[in-house]
Amino acid sequence: MHLLNLGILAHVDAGKTSLTERLLHSAGVIDEIGSVDAGSTRTDSLALERQRGITIKSAVVSFALDDVTVNLIDTPGHPDFIAEVERVLGVLDGAVLVVSAVEGVQPQTRVLMRTLQRLRIPTLVFVNKIDRRGARYDAVLRSVSERLTAAVVPMGTATALGTRGARFLPGLGTAALDVLAGLDDALLTAYVEDEVTDDRLRTALAVRTRQALVHPVHFGSAVTGAGVDALTDGIRELLPAAGGDRDGPVSGTVFKVDRGPAGEKVAYARMFSGTLRTRDRIRFGEPGMSAEPGMSAEPGDGVEPVPSRATSDLGDTRADGRITAISVFDRGTDVRDDQVPAGRIAKLWGLADIRIGDAIGEPRKAYGHFFSPPTLETIVAPADGVDRRALHRALTRLAEQDPLIDLRHDEVRQETFVSLYGEVQKEVIQATLADDFGLDVTFRETTPLCIERPVGSGAAVEFNKKDGNPFLATVGLRVDPAQAGSGVEFRLEVELGSMPYAFFKAVEDTVREALGQGLHGWQVPDCTVTMTHSGYSPRQSHAHQGFDKSMSSTGYDFRGVTPLVLMEALRRAGTRVHEPLHHFRLEAPSDTLAALLPVLARLRATPQTTETRGADCRLEGTVPAAHVHELEQQLPGLTRGEGELESAFDHYAPAPRGTLPERRRTDLNPLNRKEYLLNLTRRVGN
């Protein structure tokens, strides 16, 4: 028996969760198929998921298909929860991309397929809802070929579309031979010599599908079960088994972190090598990785990379912990076990500091980010009587489960900022805080998340006991620009042995934290910071007495002086604020173009290409992230409800002159020396 870790992905409302229910029923895991509308599905376990009828958190469930054990991961379809999809992609052996036979290829479908192809994840396409009125076969198949990938192989034909009697008739036609012969010279030769058998064709199809070069397309209905048997045959025969050496070094990746009944952390991990056992002490973390979320885009994909890697002359640090319990997934549930071998997915207890994206044991590779980071931010406003500390703890718990939710806390104004993908995410956070934590909150206006980039080089230094420096520390720093997406690099131009390692580490950690707010309050994600000066006061003690802290340097001194030096160096270098821009693709009736263009101009959207196809037109260009939601709201009225918008973060561009966005600082304001020292004194006093 072999294993397959399978992801189910789709645009929202394509029927992804319903297909999961049907697959579980067909495999005998559940006796009755759950309903999304009734809120009785197996994988949508959150109360909010049942209420809204959408998937918010990824869920894992296991079932058997003859000799194949499938760990099936149901993922969200709404773009506001793309981070949930992202973390799953790195642990998949194969995927099923669900498309509606009524709506056809939708914006999120295209985003997902592009990513699956870039990662070379073998993917089957399942066209769902053939029993619904308006279901189409030829038009949807043509749309899949034109808008997703040309390398599609129809696995049969559909009949009686749009009725409860709709059926899928399996069978490979000439289209399969046409596609496969172009990829396989031997098959082409056999075709010319009229020696192609059905078995040979299916073998070639399996080989090319596992190489992610072709994508078989099935039609069916998750509601009636039509075509699902053929899909399960495809899953079993065409997708690759999970690999990995069970006797090799332990190596895995964490793709989800949850909390158990007692509040303990539970890590969901895919094991790629070795066998992890209960009571094993294991190292985890990602060497060289920063705590900042981001994205590492492939060259040439049109998306500016956002830093996900930090480098340092001080080396990498990883945590370690002991595995106290393991659960593996089997036949619809998770069961306790004393080990988890390569290829399997498990829930792990005992790793208190574990984070999503961490490598367990031997790092397999840097955890990639395949989609854009959040480009919006809002302030969470507690209702009267809500304990602000309890709110902060609850938000920290949510951010722990979603590393692309970034929190900033303003201690002076007692306000918490949270980053977002969209307005629906606001509603989900609000409902989760109310249902799970009993906290009533509202949100302030959503604003775009900008960044700052150095425009030159700048250096500054504070010397121990000189020029009014109240800290027993010498720190000199130089800030230089860096390539977009390179992250923050910390270098040393001083000898590592010139002072205790802990003081260097305090400087580096403080630099990374302080770069969260540049001269205008925005994160500085890409730069090189070089330590040019160092010095400290050695440990002093009086005769027959203990350590004299007033005469000896401590980590507090280096953490205190570093923000002053860094901000002064940054001030001398200068920074430019960049705003996030989305790439948009807009399709609408051609006769609505006259109404669309003025609105696009008002929203600072810049069409770069315009193409007319008969009665329809397509515009592609860029639009500031701040105006995407407004464009989405206005589009139906401007296009008689026929317009379709697809947008995703593309790059940062300099903010227009005269409208320089400022972000309110939440630190102690090291730009103002007097205010900073006063605020620091108050904090220490508290």
Side-chain angles (χ1 to χ4, degrees):
M1 177 174 285
H2 69 254
L3 291 166
L4 168 65
N5 296 297
L6 178 72
I8 304 287
L9 299 89
H11 185 99
V12 66
D13 290 335
K16 173 176 45 59
T17 299
S18 297
L19 177 61
T20 300
E21 291 290 308
R22 174 61 67 175
L23 291 172
L24 294 178
H25 182 265
S26 298
V29 172
I30 55 177
D31 296 327
E32 185 176 347
I33 296 176
S35 166
V36 174
D37 293 334
S40 56
T41 59
R42 182 65 172 265
T43 53
D44 285 346
S45 57
L46 298 179
L48 189 58
E49 292 178 312
R50 298 179 186 276
Q51 293 165 13
R52 296 185 63 100
I54 62 172
T55 302
I56 297 170
K57 294 289 184 182
S58 57
V60 183
V61 65
S62 180
F63 61 91
L65 293 177
D66 295 336
D67 61 338
V68 179
T69 296
V70 178
N71 288 323
L72 188 148
I73 308 177
D74 185 18
T75 61
H78 197 285
D80 278 14
F81 308 106
I82 196 67
E84 281 288 327
V85 180
E86 172 181 278
R87 63 194 59 141
V88 166
L89 292 177
V91 304
L92 297 182
D93 303 306
V96 174
L97 181 63
V98 184
V99 179
S100 168
V102 180
E103 288 83 9
V105 175
Q106 295 170 280
Q108 188 74 352
T109 321
R110 292 157 58 123
V111 171
L112 292 168
M113 178 55 96
R114 283 199 300 268
T115 307
L116 289 166
Q117 288 181 313
R118 173 148 54 90
L119 299 175
R120 300 186 67 82
I121 296 175
T123 302
L124 310 182
V125 177
F126 182 72
V127 181
N128 191 25
K129 302 185 181 181
I130 63 171
D131 59 315
R132 295 283 185 89
R133 181 178 298 178
R136 300 160 296 154
Y137 178 85
D138 291 332
V140 172
L141 192 59
R142 184 168 57 252
S143 178
V144 169
S145 177
E146 292 175 353
R147 304 180 68 187
L148 294 183
T149 172
V152 297
V153 175
M155 298 300 292
T157 58
T159 62
L161 272 75
T163 70
R164 295 286 292 184
R167 292 291 179 267
F168 179 67
L169 306 176
L172 291 177
T174 57
L177 186 55
D178 291 342
V179 172
L180 292 169
L183 299 168
D184 189 326
D185 290 341
L187 186 65
L188 179 59
T189 301
Y191 171 63
V192 172
E193 297 174 354
D194 197 22
E195 296 179 354
V196 177
T197 63
D198 187 63
D199 287 344
R200 184 165 187 173
L201 193 61
R202 292 194 70 88
T203 299
L205 176 63
V207 170
R208 300 308 178 188
T209 300
R210 290 167 185 166
Q211 293 173 344
L213 295 176
V214 300
H215 303 283
V217 181
H218 294 80
F219 282 71
S221 169
V223 172
T224 67
V228 173
D229 287 344
L231 175 65
T232 57
D233 289 342
I235 292 172
R236 187 179 65 252
E237 298 170 5
L238 302 177
L239 295 179
D245 180 6
R246 297 188 176 198
D247 298 321
V250 172
S251 177
T253 298
V254 175
F255 65 92
K256 179 177 178 177
V257 173
D258 212 338
R259 290 275 180 173
E264 75 279 14
K265 273 191 180 180
V266 182
Y268 289 66
R270 157 76 190 268
M271 300 306 299
F272 290 97
S273 173
T275 299
L276 186 63
R277 296 176 174 84
T278 306
R279 293 184 293 280
D280 280 355
R281 178 165 286 279
I282 195 74
R283 292 188 66 76
F284 61 89
E286 198 68 54
M289 298 298 286
S290 74
E292 294 296 334
M295 167 183 184
S296 48
E298 292 291 323
D301 67 357
V303 179
E304 172 182 306
V306 177
S308 60
R309 180 171 294 279
T311 57
S312 169
D313 282 353
L314 298 184
D316 302 321
T317 57
R318 304 182 75 204
D320 62 71
R322 188 179 299 280
I323 303 297
T324 58
I326 296 173
S327 281
V328 296
F329 292 90
D330 185 45
R331 297 192 176 275
T333 186
D334 59 287
V335 294
R336 288 299 176 101
D337 204 335
D338 59 359
Q339 64 179 22
V340 51
R344 300 207 71 163
I345 289 175
K347 295 164 68 174
L348 308 176
W349 281 261
L351 307 179
D353 298 321
I354 198 77
R355 291 172 55 88
I356 291 172
D358 279 353
I360 294 177
E362 293 295 322
R364 178 170 170 262
K365 62 178 180 179
Y367 178 64
H369 293 283
F370 316 122
F371 300 108
S372 63
T375 55
L376 303 171
E377 184 179 63
T378 187
I379 296 176
V380 184
D384 292 341
V386 170
D387 186 336
R388 292 180 182 272
R389 277 185 257 183
L391 174 59
H392 187 66
R393 286 195 299 270
L395 287 170
T396 301
R397 181 78 62 88
L398 294 182
E400 175 186 276
Q401 298 173 16
D402 187 344
L404 294 186
I405 292 180
D406 189 30
L407 297 180
R408 289 195 312 131
H409 185 61
D410 186 337
E411 294 186 6
V412 177
R413 300 174 184 85
Q414 288 296 297
E415 292 178 337
T416 300
F417 297 73
V418 60
S419 58
L420 300 166
Y421 278 95
E423 297 298 316
V424 172
Q425 198 176 7
K426 260 190 191 179
E427 300 173 27
V428 170
I429 292 174
Q430 184 179 35
T432 302
L433 289 173
D435 296 343
D436 295 356
F437 301 95
L439 302 173
D440 184 17
V441 302
T442 57
F443 293 92
R444 307 271 177 84
E445 181 185 3
T446 302
T447 57
L449 269 173
C450 300
I451 65 169
E452 294 182 49
R453 286 186 171 142
V455 295
S457 298
V461 62
E462 292 271 352
F463 290 100
N464 188 353
K465 303 177 183 177
K466 291 184 179 180
D467 301 322
N469 177 10
F471 302 101
L472 298 179
T474 294
V475 173
L477 298 172
R478 185 178 68 250
V479 176
D480 297 299
Q483 184 179 359
S486 61
V488 175
E489 182 177 4
F490 185 78
R491 295 177 176 174
L492 296 179
E493 280 186 359
V494 294
E495 291 293 333
L496 187 58
S498 62
M499 64 180 188
Y501 173 85
F503 294 161
F504 285 110
K505 193 70 173 69
V507 172
E508 180 184 2
D509 290 345
T510 306
V511 162
R512 297 193 185 283
E513 180 182 355
L515 286 174
Q517 299 180 72
L519 302 181
H520 302 281
W522 304 103
Q523 181 191 5
V524 183
D526 304 306
C527 65
T528 300
V529 179
T530 304
M531 191 168 183
T532 58
H533 297 76
S534 65
Y536 74 110
S537 295
R539 184 182 181 93
Q540 301 288 328
S541 60
H542 299 293
H544 310 295
Q545 295 182 10
F547 167 50
D548 188 345
K549 191 161 55 176
S550 67
M551 300 173 60
S552 311
S553 296
T554 65
Y556 163 82
D557 293 295
F558 287 90
R559 288 190 295 270
V561 75
T562 296
L564 290 173
V565 178
L566 180 65
M567 285 301 117
E568 181 57 32
L570 205 58
R571 194 197 319 258
R572 294 175 182 178
T575 65
R576 180 82 183 271
V577 176
H578 289 61
E579 66 176 348
L581 293 187
H582 281 222
H583 176 269
F584 74 86
R585 180 183 286 107
L586 195 160
E587 298 185 5
S590 298
D591 60 0
T592 65
L593 197 57
L596 274 171
L597 290 177
V599 174
L600 292 175
R602 181 175 60 79
L603 298 178
R604 292 200 290 123
T606 306
Q608 295 165 341
T609 62
T610 304
E611 181 181 351
T612 301
R613 296 180 178 179
D616 295 324
C617 67
R618 184 176 73 179
L619 288 77
E620 291 194 44
T622 58
V623 58
H627 300 309
V628 170
H629 183 60
E630 186 177 352
L631 180 57
E632 290 173 338
Q633 289 183 313
Q634 295 199 29
L635 187 62
L638 294 168
T639 62
R640 302 188 299 273
E642 300 179 46
E644 184 179 281
L645 177 68
E646 175 188 340
S647 75
F649 168 80
D650 191 71
H651 67 283
Y652 290 99
R657 300 288 185 183
T659 59
L660 190 65
E662 296 279 343
R663 189 191 202 191
R664 200 167 68 199
R665 303 194 71 88
T666 57
D667 59 8
L668 303 180
N669 193 17
L671 292 174
N672 184 318
R673 186 185 187 92
K674 183 177 180 181
E675 180 182 341
Y676 173 79
L677 294 175
L678 181 61
N679 287 333
L680 186 63
T681 302
R682 288 172 176 167
R683 173 186 282 183
V684 174
N686 290 333

